[in-house]
Amino acid sequence: MAAHGLVHTYELSIPILMTIWLLEFSVTAAVLGAVVTVGYGLFGVGALPGGILVDRYGSRRLIVSCLAGMGLSFLLLSVSPTVVTIALALGVWGIAASVYHPAGLALISNGVQDDVRGTAFAYHGMAGNAGIAFGPLATALLLLVVDWRLVAVALAIPALVAAVVGVLASFDETAALEAEAATQDEPIRSLTAFLGGSRRVFTVGFTIVFVLVMFNGLYYRGILTFLPEMLDEFLTTHLGAIELGFFGPDSPVADEFDLAQYVYVGLLTVGIGGQYLGGKLTDRLPPERGVVACLSALVVIALVYTPAAEAGLAPLGAISVALGFVLFALQPLTQATIAKYSPPDSRGLSFGYTYLGIFGVGSLGATIVGGALTYGTTVTVFLILAGFATIACTLAIVLVARDGF
């Protein structure tokens, strides 16, 4: 839970820092979207080799390495003089962070009994959302008083401390698999073993899940990366510069205060409740059905977001709350679906493949949305996102049909 929270602290502090980088380095949203795609892309691409390493070496080593690598990457970010070196630092972060989800989710899948696994996914997801919400909040608050480079240093420290704690912690990684221990396959140590393991993982059901989460990843990365920028446009339309008056026109804080950042953090905080509900639902109904419900809601939200946001502050707040709640309620449901359609002895590989789809292919969502904002409008952005969710929802319906209505 601690590691999950920190992974997403860094992941979602990047969009907050992007609002500074756009001004400091004088680049377009399209260019900066491509830059962060480097880190976010490696965050996903590295999940597959990370999953293989999890099955071979266990979760502890991978999670500790993840924490240490993320801390060092943000130290590198703090001394980056150009957009190119920012891309390099984010690349290091992406490689380090990429191993977390296969390691953490394999740990839950193999270490927690079936009857409470959904609850474990819920608490794990809530920890992630705490990082998703309060990491950017801490980043935004620190930016009020110190330079963004010092903020990057401050963000690096908790991961380095957590890495030490991870070395000292004691737990059983396979508590739920004791009865199956005699039938476990050997860890992947060769290309032949990798190909054989991949064939076992990619059943028809798992293949559908893989494509489903890939399109969900495009939606997730696309909306969250540039939502602060879009919120800023909507809030400026409704409020103008009223937030600056709160501090006074000559206040140094006024130059750094961005109301959109705090609205964004509020949206992410709402996701904590969504994670809890989604996790609880996985203990009470087939997870595919919950996935269908959430994706259907995300289609509707994407189609009505811009009209609602332009209608006034109250509709903007309501649609943003709905987006934050549903977007994150979906996560434990998809994680439980992945576990359902993957073999227990290859959970690391299974989650490696799916997070390759979610964060690797999904990272292109930042580039797509950055381009849509640069050359189109917010309406264009949300129509594209609605298309992603529609495809994913259709695949989820196929899963429900195969499992039996």
Side-chain angles (χ1 to χ4, degrees), residues 107-120:
L107 180 61
I108 293 174
S109 298
N110 294 338
V112 180
Q113 298 292 338
D114 287 346
D115 58 340
V116 291
R117 187 172 294 153
T119 299

Side-chain angles (χ1 to χ4, degrees), residues 3 17 20 39 50 57 69 88 140 146 188 198 201 222 253 272 275 280 296 302 313 317 337 393-394:
L17 293 170
I20 306 297
Y57 296 110
L88 175 63
V146 298
I188 292 173
S198 297
V201 166
V253 176
I272 296 175
Q275 288 272 12
K280 285 296 185 179
S296 298
L313 288 175
T337 303
C393 187
T394 302

Side-chain angles (χ1 to χ4, degrees), residues 9-398:
T9 289
Y10 297 124
E11 179 198 5
L12 272 301
S13 68
I14 292 170
I16 298 293
L17 293 170
M18 284 174 65
T19 62
I20 306 297
W21 297 336
L22 281 168
L23 298 175
E24 180 162 333
F25 297 102
S26 300
V27 294
T28 66
V31 170
L32 196 56
V35 167
V36 300
T37 295
V38 173
Y40 285 149
L42 290 171
F43 184 25
V45 171
L48 180 54
I52 296 171
L53 293 173
V54 169
D55 288 334
R56 182 169 181 177
Y57 296 110
S59 294
R60 179 200 299 272
R61 293 181 184 179
L62 273 296
I63 293 174
V64 169
S65 298
C66 162
L67 288 164
M70 290 192 304
L72 293 174
S73 72
F74 264 64
L75 290 179
L76 175 60
L77 183 65
S78 71
V79 296
S80 296
T82 66
V83 170
V84 173
T85 50
I86 284 178
L88 175 63
L90 293 180
V92 174
W93 171 81
I95 293 171
S98 68
V99 303
Y100 175 72
H101 284 91
L105 295 171
L107 180 61
I108 293 174
S109 298
N110 294 338
V112 180
Q113 298 292 338
D114 287 346
D115 58 340
V116 291
R117 187 172 294 153
T119 299
F121 279 129
Y123 286 122
H124 177 260
M126 291 169 68
N129 259 81
I132 284 172
F134 300 123
L137 176 61
T139 302
L141 291 174
L142 287 170
L143 285 171
L144 293 176
V145 293
V146 298
D147 182 73
W148 71 267
R149 297 179 186 279
L150 292 178
V151 173
V153 173
L155 290 173
I157 295 172
L160 298 175
V161 173
V164 175
V165 175
V167 171
L168 301 176
S170 176
F171 49 86
D172 183 357
E173 297 186 26
T174 59
L177 297 182
E178 292 179 358
E180 305 174 55
T183 64
Q184 294 292 299
D185 290 343
E186 287 295 317
I188 292 173
R189 300 178 187 276
S190 66
L191 178 60
T192 300
F194 168 71
L195 294 175
S198 297
R199 283 194 295 271
R200 287 192 300 274
V201 166
F202 272 92
T203 61
V204 173
F206 182 83
T207 301
I208 294 172
V209 173
F210 174 76
V211 180
L212 184 162
V213 299
M214 181 180 69
F215 279 98
N216 178 46
L218 289 168
Y219 189 110
Y220 173 88
R221 182 64 63 216
I223 186 62
L224 290 187
T225 301
F226 284 99
L227 189 58
E229 292 297 307
M230 292 186 285
L231 284 171
D232 186 62
E233 290 184 16
F234 293 130
L235 290 169
T236 299
T237 299
H238 297 307
L239 296 176
I242 191 172
E243 66 268 20
L244 300 184
F246 180 80
F247 299 103
D250 298 324
S251 170
V253 176
D255 293 333
E256 300 295 336
F257 183 80
D258 186 348
L259 181 61
Q261 293 179 349
Y262 298 93
V263 174
Y264 182 66
V265 169
L267 180 152
L268 299 175
T269 304
V270 168
I272 296 175
Q275 288 272 12
Y276 181 78
L277 177 62
K280 285 296 185 179
L281 286 176
T282 65
D283 289 334
R284 291 168 170 78
L285 81 165
E288 309 96 313
R289 298 191 180 206
V291 170
V292 170
C294 286
L295 287 170
S296 298
L298 287 177
V299 172
V300 175
I301 289 169
L303 292 175
V304 304
Y305 194 97
T306 300
E310 292 176 344
L313 288 175
L316 172 60
I319 197 66
S320 296
V321 167
L323 173 64
F325 191 88
V326 177
L327 186 65
F328 292 103
L330 178 60
Q331 290 191 358
L333 290 161
T334 56
Q335 291 161 3
T337 303
I338 293 165
K340 178 176 179 178
Y341 286 90
S342 62
D345 56 293
S346 299
R347 287 270 163 73
L349 181 60
S350 300
F351 280 110
Y353 269 118
T354 51
Y355 276 86
L356 169 64
I358 294 170
F359 291 135
V361 178
S363 69
L364 294 174
T367 300
I368 293 169
V369 170
L373 278 177
T374 301
Y375 305 109
T377 65
T378 57
V379 173
T380 307
V381 168
F382 283 103
L383 284 175
I384 292 171
L385 294 174
F388 293 152
T390 298
I391 295 171
C393 187
T394 302
L395 293 169
I397 291 171
V398 172

